[in-house]
Amino acid sequence: EAQVTQNPRYLITVTGKKLTVTCSQNMNHEYMSWYRQDPGLGLRQIYYSMNVEVTDKGDVPEGYKVSRKEKRNFPLILESPSPNQTSLYFCASRIAGSYEQYFGPGTRLTVT
Amino acid sequence: QKEVEQNSGPLSVPEGAIASLNCTYSDRGSQSFFWYRQYSGKSPELIMSIYSNGDKEDGRFTAQLNKASQYVSLLIRDSQPSDSATYLCAVIRGKLIFGQGTELSVKP
């Protein structure tokens, strides 16, 4: 089954404790993105990657890191999480030349 | 001014009625437009795309685009309770830009 997977689905952590949210897709898509979704603000892009070893900042990159060492994986790293990073996070992927995005199931992160 | 604006709702319609969801965008150069549906607690899924002025129909869904007015809408005919969700408008401006979404509630 073609899909984007994320782990964990739910995470409660404390300020300053480094965490990683994994994202994997099995569709051989070149493009992968991370979004955060907050009430009233919609989906905002954090980082995106156009292919292996090619990443760039989205609209709200502060406090986040990403890497793309393999085509299928695009982890999101919060090195020192803060309460304002409490949000619902989505990973998405798409094939080059198409804007039809496939979203993962989401990760609800709470930072206390 | 937000790049993509939607009324947050909630929009409430009775079952069987037409639901009309609206979206305006600020960049006149935007070329491609999308509607995503997001059920509560779930991820967005693409339901319609439209690229040229006019209407595009897919089953009970009709997307309408008016580039001169920078306006795109989604009509849902014969609304069903299962259509209750948040509908996200998205436009291409080098990348996908999403509106904040409109919550639709269809009452039986």
Side-chain angles (χ1 to χ4, degrees):
Chain A
E1 179 189 356
Q3 61 182 352
V4 180
T5 57
Q6 294 178 229
N7 282 292
R9 295 289 313 280
Y10 302 91
L11 180 60
I12 301 173
T13 190
V14 297
T15 298
K17 185 177 182 181
K18 181 179 178 179
L19 66 93
T20 299
V21 184
T22 64
C23 172
S24 183
Q25 50 95 5
N26 63 0
M27 296 169 280
N28 202 36
H29 286 171
E30 292 84 6
Y31 279 71
M32 298 186 75
S33 296
W34 275 103
Y35 293 87
R36 61 178 290 174
Q37 187 173 36
D38 302 288
L41 297 176
L43 279 163
R44 295 179 293 167
Q45 191 180 55
I46 303 170
Y47 267 95
Y48 64 97
S49 170
M50 292 171 282
N51 216 320
V52 175
E53 302 291 2
V54 182
T55 63
D56 207 349
K57 297 176 180 179
D59 299 312
V60 287
E62 294 78 20
Y64 305 94
K65 285 177 59 176
V66 293
S67 67
R68 187 95 181 270
K69 293 183 170 53
E70 304 166 284
K71 196 172 187 179
R72 62 184 294 128
N73 296 323
F74 190 43
L76 179 69
I77 303 157
L78 285 73
E79 296 216 326
S80 184
S82 62
N84 65 11
Q85 293 178 297
T86 292
S87 187
L88 179 59
Y89 291 86
F90 289 103
C91 180
S93 72
R94 63 178 174 90
I95 196 166
S98 167
Y99 282 94
E100 180 174 349
Q101 294 214 108
Y102 294 82
F103 284 85
T107 295
R108 187 166 293 282
L109 172 66
T110 301
V111 183
T112 61
Chain B
Q1 182 187 8
K2 290 183 180 178
E3 293 185 81
V4 181
E5 292 208 57
Q6 298 178 251
N7 290 326
S8 58
L11 173 66
S12 184
V13 300
E15 184 175 355
I18 296 175
S20 177
L21 303 158
N22 304 316
C23 172
T24 58
Y25 58 95
S26 61
D27 186 353
R28 191 171 286 278
S30 299
Q31 294 295 315
S32 305
F33 307 86
F34 305 88
W35 283 99
Y36 283 79
R37 178 177 61 200
Q38 186 176 21
Y39 291 114
S40 180
K42 303 295 185 183
S43 55
E45 58 176 325
L46 181 67
I47 55 172
M48 290 286 286
S49 58
I50 186 166
Y51 306 102
S52 54
N53 277 330
D55 295 359
K56 179 181 178 182
E57 190 174 314
D58 183 1
R60 296 186 296 110
F61 297 94
T62 299
Q64 298 176 317
L65 175 60
N66 183 326
K67 290 186 177 180
S69 299
Q70 295 174 240
Y71 178 94
V72 58
S73 64
L74 179 70
L75 302 178
I76 306 174
R77 291 183 300 282
D78 188 24
S79 295
Q80 301 297 309
S82 58
D83 295 324
S84 298
T86 296
Y87 290 80
L88 304 170
C89 172
V91 306
I92 299 295
R93 190 181 60 79
K95 61 181 179 181
L96 267 175
I97 307 292
F98 288 88
Q100 72 270 36
T102 297
E103 183 184 349
L104 172 66
S105 177
V106 181
K107 302 294 186 186

